[in-house]
Amino acid sequence: MTDSRTNSAADPPPASGADLHLELRGPGLRAGLAGALREAMRTGRLAPGTRLPASRSLAADLGVSRNTVVEAYAELVAEGWLTAQQGSGTRVATRVEPHRAAPDAPPTRPTRHRPRYGLLTGSPDLAGFPRTQWVTAARRALAAAPHDAFGYGDARGRVELRTALADYLARARGVYAEPERVVICSGFHHGLALMAQVLRARRVRAVAVEAFGLDLYRDLLTNAGLHTPPLYVDEHGARTDDLARLRAVGAVLMTPAHQYPTGVALCPERRTAAVDWARATGGLILEDDYDGEFRYDRQPVGALQGLDPQRVVYFGSVSKSLAPGVRLGWMVLPEELVPEIVTAKGHGDYMTSALEQLTLAEFIASGAYDRHVRAMRLRYGRRRDQLVAVLRQRAPGIRVAGMAAGLQTVLELPRGTESSVLRAAARQGLAVSGLAQFGYEVADCGWQLPERDALVVNYAAPSDSAWAGALDALCRVMP
């Protein structure tokens, strides 16, 4: 008859002595071993019921005599820390409870209720992530992956993904891209941080930024030691003709296809003015094409990079088209910048997950990425149409600004009402942003942002089940 105390699937074998991580302390080996075991049991590293290594095995692993281990075990059995039974080995006694310090009482804070509906910018509909298709692509990519994919690879990224991206970006965004000029990164933030390092190494002192945008990226540039003078933004986009009047500016960060967050496109004259400035001064245009695939009233405007691939650094990612959690982005660089970016990347986050890169490459090459973008374009376009129609009916005094594109839109409010609308939204359990939080100006720029009250509404973020409630809550807070 089999002894129920022998090893089984429910009773794992004892750990080896090397796995116990014991540090022997004390006046002698026996006392040091006994003390180390007590500490491991007291702190919970050796849980009640854990089976310890045989004395001979532990002695060999620790480099002590077997008698030392036998005597230490016997001492702890006598103290009640361990139990020893024939056929069951030596185990931590079940009555041993690890000692854990009582947690400090948390400081008293005001109660905060989690918003019921989220219309904050920055995220697509996460429920729309194509899980099944992504798993299929991952399986195919893993099955076909060469052995070198599991080693330290090219800092530029896997050639399979760089090749797939070069083809896709040329076809869908009008980008002049060769695989050798594509560098994979962990999203736009990572790519901009690398670019900031390179600009500082080139002794660039300032990077112009649009007067409306994310302070996260302005802060990134500032923390890298770069000044960030603002460019005024109006209904035609950033005033790029002002670049020539800004001192010591060696680059400009822009969202030309769909200005973030005001939602306007950079007009053709200003696109040309930006490229002319870069050519005349040797400056660089840093193009953030964060949601360029999503245009609902016409074909998307092509990337600015196509006008001059040697003066424009093109940034893209899957954060809006798929999900930010995938953590994959790319830079399409002027040829001369590739070695400098690769060097900067080698000083920090040298590699991005090769398996994620191969999966995305397969996802693009199979056509699944195009199909997903088309499906989400239809979904987001319907969402925006619903928003416009409902506001026209329930809040006719509210104007929807910006073009029919991207994941968010701007709702113009009566003068002086932005703060009160935001407070009302919070009471309704609605998380939404005011335009004021995206504004940026400095005292010596020669102009001030005009007073403008508005909400920035992300109609893409809510799931289908939450969208109707979010839209109703938004309408209830409109003045």
Side-chain angles (χ1 to χ4, degrees), residues 48-93:
T50 299
R51 186 178 176 188
L52 298 184
S55 56
R56 190 184 305 277
S57 172
L58 184 58
D61 286 336
L62 297 180
V64 300
S65 71
R66 184 185 180 196
N67 284 343
T68 297
V69 178
V70 171
E71 291 171 5
Y73 278 3
E75 180 180 337
L76 295 172
V77 169
E79 293 176 2
W81 289 97
L82 300 176
T83 62
Q85 295 181 6
Q86 185 69 30
S88 185
T90 304
R91 296 175 180 269
V92 178

Side-chain angles (χ1 to χ4, degrees), residues 15 42 130 143 147-148 162 239 263-264 321 335-336 379 391 404:
R42 184 180 295 115
H147 296 318
D148 65 5
R162 292 188 284 116
R239 290 185 179 174
V264 298
S321 57
E335 188 174 358
E336 65 175 7
R379 178 183 298 186
L391 287 174

